[in-house]
Amino acid sequence: MGNQSKTSVDGVHSDVKVLEMKTKRSNVLDVLLRVLGFLLTLTATIIVGFGKETKVISYASLQFKVTAKWEYMSAIVFFLVTNAIGCSYAAISMVVSTIARTSGNKTALLIITLLDLVIMALLFSANGAAGAVGVLGQKGNSHVQWMKVCNVFDAYCRHMTVALVLSIIGSTVFLLLVAHSLFKLHYYRSN
Amino acid sequence: MASRNGEEKVEHGFNDFHETKKKNDWILLSLRVVAFFATAAATLVMALNKQTKSFVIGTVGNTPLTATLSAKFNQTPAFVFFVIANGNASLHNLVMIALDILGPQYDYKGLRLALIAILDMLTMALASAGDGAATFMSALGRNGNSHARWDKICDKFESYCNRGGGALIASFIGFILLLIITVMSISKLLKPNRINHAPSP
């Protein structure tokens, strides 16, 4: 009887060790994903913020100076603001989630997961908006007589496309973050 | 004698837990039903959104030349994406409702709860992207954009714009409900749920 209880105590001890290792590994993955999300949204913000293009169009012997900037389109403003929010959230939550994970605070981890969810949804909606406006700028809309803009501002359009792709990848990283914490919750639950 | 008392006590506790879990499930199911109706309404209203109007573009002699222009949702890629995303969301809600109604006799084993939460999250992402695209497309249609020289269309096609706005509001309601549903699905993962639904004899 005494021998049986000793082996059961050893079994519990090794299980705790395995759990600790898995916590450390998942923490590293979590921080890695947040760093990736931070970098991607930061790059997208910078590209959109500093992507200004000025061109001179000559039309019927008159010279027009036209500028393309992020402030001129409300969807791009929303895109910039949302990416900035996502970037700062990734930076802050990197610190907070590491602290919460090492101290074992379950409510803080749950709140971080829910905030991840909200920021991910916000980022996806900004991507949809920028994509809609981008498609409009790229092709125009013949039914409502909206001319395309990207034949004039080709460098601006290329910058916006790159920023949009980066932001989409960043939103996917946030999605992977939520999925990762979901799987961790599931793992803890089934044990 | 003591063991029988112990068994009764355990069964009593199990029944209580079973009861509260059922109430939570009913709340989730009703939220899913409302979300299904909201997203399905948004899809249908936007997909059937059409307005035809004839404009006078000039006169030839005495007779005015009229051109008939129609505004439909498939002329704009943003609205097409909106319809696709909301259709997807309502299909997802329908499948989840069916799973909730037909599923409870099976045990929640394996990845089922995690899979439901992840699918909810993916649908939420798609729905939010569709909402964002349609919102800013409608804002462009209502206000135009002077820098790109795009003039507004909502003064000419008023009922098209109003119906599109209604579809957008329904879609926002559906999205908020999807958010609440996802949060509830995630919190379901936290509760220890190792109890079989079929009580052992």
Side-chain angles (χ1 to χ4, degrees), chain A residues 72-75 78 110 114 117-118 120-121 124-125 128-129 132-133 135-137 141 143-144 146-147 149 175 178-179 182-183 185-186 189 191, chain B residues 75-78 108 110-111 117-118 121-122 124-125 128-129 132-133 136-137 140-141 145 147-148 150-151 153 175 182-183 186 189-191 194:
Chain A
Y72 293 160
M73 196 87 71
S74 56
F78 179 58
L110 183 62
L114 297 180
L117 196 65
V118 169
M120 172 199 87
F124 267 110
S125 77
V133 167
V135 162
L136 219 52
N141 195 332
H143 302 275
V144 278
W146 284 352
M147 314 293 295
V149 171
L175 192 140
V178 181
L182 275 185
F183 276 123
L185 283 173
H186 170 76
R189 209 194 98 245
N191 257 3
Chain B
Q75 299 166 347
T76 322
Y108 284 112
L111 280 178
I118 285 192
M121 189 183 61
L122 289 177
M124 205 184 83
S128 77
F136 282 95
M137 188 64 218
L140 263 183
N145 192 317
H147 301 276
W150 293 334
D151 24 280
I153 59 165
F175 169 68
T182 310
V183 167
I186 291 182
L189 279 171
L190 291 171
K191 295 191 170 55
R194 266 157 303 205

Side-chain angles (χ1 to χ4, degrees), chain B residues 30-45:
Chain B
S30 54
L31 278 181
R32 280 200 202 274
V33 168
V34 178
F36 165 68
F37 279 127
T39 44
T43 317
L44 284 174
V45 168

